[in-house]
Amino acid sequence: MNYRMRYMLFFIIDSCIVLSAIYMSYWLLHPTINGYSDKVILVSAVTLLVSHHIAAYFFHLYDRIWSVASVRELLTIAYAVTISVATASGMQYIIKNDVYFRVMVITWMLHIIMIGGSRFLLRVLNDRESFRNTANLKRVLIVGAGQGGTMLAKNLLNAQNPDRLPVVFVDDDVSKQQLKVMNITVAGTTKDITKLVAKNGIDEIIIAIPSLGRIGIKSIYKDCSETKLPVKIMPSIEDVMTGKVAVNEMKEVQIEDLLGRDEVKLDMIAISKKLTDKVILVTGAGGSIGSEICRQVMNFQPKKLILLGHGENSIYTIHMELQQRSVGTELIPIIADIKDRSRIFEVVKYYHPDVIYHAAAHKHVPLMEYNPREAVKNNIFGTKNIAEAAHKYHVGNFVMISTDKAVNPPNVMGATKRVAEMIVQNLAKNSTTKFAAVRFGNVLGSRGSVIPLFKKQIIAGGPVTVTHPDMTRYFMTIPEASRLVLQAGTLGGNGEIFVLDMGEPVKIIDLARNLIQLSGYTEDEIKIEFTGLRPGEKMFEELLSPDEIQIEHVYPKIHIGKSNTVDASVLEKLYQKFEIEDEVLLKTVLLQVANSKSDHKVTSCLIK
């Protein structure tokens, strides 16, 4: 039915209701009197008809989709009817100096019942789930009977081609227990999930509390995981309302959702002032952290973004990706190795960046134990090259990406990163460039991290290899890590070391178990094997050493470590020491220097 026909149909229906209702009201009160001869009633009927259609026009009663109407739409009928009845009552008073009050009250009620009923009938016909074949639909338990859960249930029930049937709600709000939402019972709390799944033949669980943080998700997921059923999360209300996703586009629970802490939100306004319309250089731009830094930087529309890396394929990939998003930002892919001092100085001199984010590094702990010389050349001398170039050409800000493994390091990788921190801290003492370093824990999903390895092992059918049942690590997401780098560029300038408050460390075995569960398997199907500590590995990591700790936060949830600098002359001697060819001796010196807490101790290492 087209718009014109639909409009005329409602117009005729309402006209019949309006004209008949007042005579029905009059007859109900005066059944023995011929109301058709009462001129006041006749004038009132005409006035009602005219005023109703005028009100209907202004309240859009004829161009609404009543089959999906809510209470708010039905209220517009009450407004239109009230106005038209009030207008007719006023006309009665003008003609007869009196109002048929009881007649008009009943007329108002009949209008509400009949006009509202005609619309409600369309809604009833549309909501005919009882006539649908639900045998092949997934039976769903919805966690959360609030705004999100109601929206989800309504969407699933009204879907044109449904694939899920909401069967039962659970909610920890005591006041909602045993009440119905969209004719679906809130049958218990999250502690009753296992029982309700078995009782109602549930096939899938959906967490529909969009405002729930990671702590809440982790707690609820623990209850859901006992059922061995797929668990999904409803998208945020904001994403639904802005049209990014549909209500029923549920996402899988991700491993980062189970970190047990909420993602840290940073000061994007301050970051914007540093980056918008500026020249930004990112080393290691093709890596997992470097590429995400580039993506985050692009949000602030820099004038130029220089993508520097030695891997041709990775730089090509991030360059092509960012070109799709580039609006006014010049993207400059540079193939260069940070170990090539003259090339690095050439690039910095030519482009003169306002900010440098130094993400290029060798980061694999066991691999660097076998290749200490390469770790020294890349992590120490590469950092020295790019940092000194930033100092010489007066770059505004320099942020180095470090690691929690630089704290009391027992391995080559951590030791080289600690020495790299020393280089940055030393330069910060007498430079116009503002130098800072950022320490990460393990970054979920980054290249070489444990998550991609576990996923490959699960796909292969197992086993999932864990070094030790008690090993713990701090974890953060790639976007979190990248935003922390950007934030550090707005806060530091004197060689500070910034560390994100990452909550409690996570047991690697718990991570493995959660990933197996999220992949739809049990530990009976995918086994976990313990392989023992690898060369250079620690059982647990620290974010700051005791002599670096400061009580206060420089920014909510960001700690700042005290700068423990080493004299420039001592560093120069270190560089010479690191040129030794004996790799065993090199590792020994490297670890002694990295774990020294003062110039005196570093110097004593050099004498030895």
Side-chain angles (χ1 to χ4, degrees), residues 27 33 79 89 126 151 181 227 235 249 253 272 346 365 371 454 562:
W27 179 80
I33 300 175
Y79 299 148
S89 299
N126 186 69
M151 184 184 293
V181 179
T227 67
E249 288 183 32
V253 177
S272 179
E346 175 188 284
V365 171
N371 299 277
F454 284 173
K562 295 176 184 176

Side-chain angles (χ1 to χ4, degrees), residues 466-473 506-509 530 538-540:
V466 177
T467 53
H468 193 281
D470 295 325
M471 177 175 277
T472 62
R473 290 292 184 267
V506 177
K507 277 192 171 185
I508 301 299
I509 189 171
F530 299 106
K538 296 165 72 174
M539 284 290 291
F540 63 93

Side-chain angles (χ1 to χ4, degrees), residues 264-335:
V264 176
K265 305 299 181 183
L266 303 180
D267 184 358
M268 306 310 272
I269 295 175
I271 296 170
S272 179
K273 292 178 181 177
K274 284 282 184 183
L275 302 182
T276 301
D277 204 32
K278 300 293 175 61
V279 179
I280 313 299
L281 186 152
V282 180
T283 71
S288 47
I289 300 299
S291 60
E292 182 62 26
I293 290 172
C294 293
R295 294 183 192 99
Q296 297 283 345
V297 167
M298 284 292 288
N299 294 329
F300 300 97
Q301 297 184 323
K303 183 179 179 180
K304 295 179 181 178
L305 178 55
I306 303 162
L307 314 170
L308 188 147
H310 75 277
E312 179 185 356
N313 289 336
S314 59
I315 293 297
Y316 171 81
T317 301
I318 187 62
H319 181 234
M320 293 301 293
E321 176 190 330
L322 296 181
Q323 274 190 324
Q324 306 300 316
R325 301 173 47 191
S326 178
V327 180
T329 297
E330 182 183 356
L331 297 171
I332 304 168
I334 299 291
I335 304 300

Side-chain angles (χ1 to χ4, degrees), residues 63-111:
D63 51 14
R64 293 178 184 272
I65 303 177
W66 291 101
S67 58
V68 292
S70 65
V71 174
R72 182 171 295 179
E73 275 86 16
L74 292 175
L75 282 174
T76 60
I77 294 175
Y79 299 148
V81 168
T82 301
I83 290 171
S84 62
V85 170
T87 303
S89 299
M91 183 62 71
Q92 287 180 4
Y93 188 81
I94 292 171
I95 296 172
K96 199 173 181 180
N97 201 29
D98 190 16
V99 176
Y100 292 178
F101 183 76
R102 289 183 297 169
V103 171
M104 301 313 291
V105 167
I106 295 175
T107 299
W108 181 88
M109 293 171 63
L110 289 174
H111 277 198

Side-chain angles (χ1 to χ4, degrees), residues 218-232:
K218 183 179 180 182
S219 175
I220 291 175
Y221 183 79
K222 185 177 180 181
D223 295 320
C224 296
S225 63
E226 296 176 7
T227 67
K228 312 300 182 186
L229 292 178
V231 182
K232 296 188 176 179

Side-chain angles (χ1 to χ4, degrees), residues 45 51 67 74 112 125 142 197 201 232 244 246 283 285 326 356 411 483 517-518 521 573:
S51 59
S67 58
L74 292 175
I112 294 291
L125 292 174
I142 300 177
V197 163
K232 296 188 176 179
K244 292 181 181 178
T283 71
S326 178
I356 293 178
N411 53 62
R483 286 197 292 269
Q517 175 102 37
L518 291 174
Y521 298 100
K573 293 177 182 177

Side-chain angles (χ1 to χ4, degrees), residues 2-22:
N2 61 34
Y3 174 79
R4 184 184 294 274
M5 292 177 62
R6 189 175 178 280
Y7 191 100
M8 288 304 299
L9 178 62
F10 277 124
F11 186 92
I12 293 169
I13 291 172
D14 282 10
S15 296
C16 293
I17 291 171
V18 169
L19 288 174
S20 62
I22 191 168

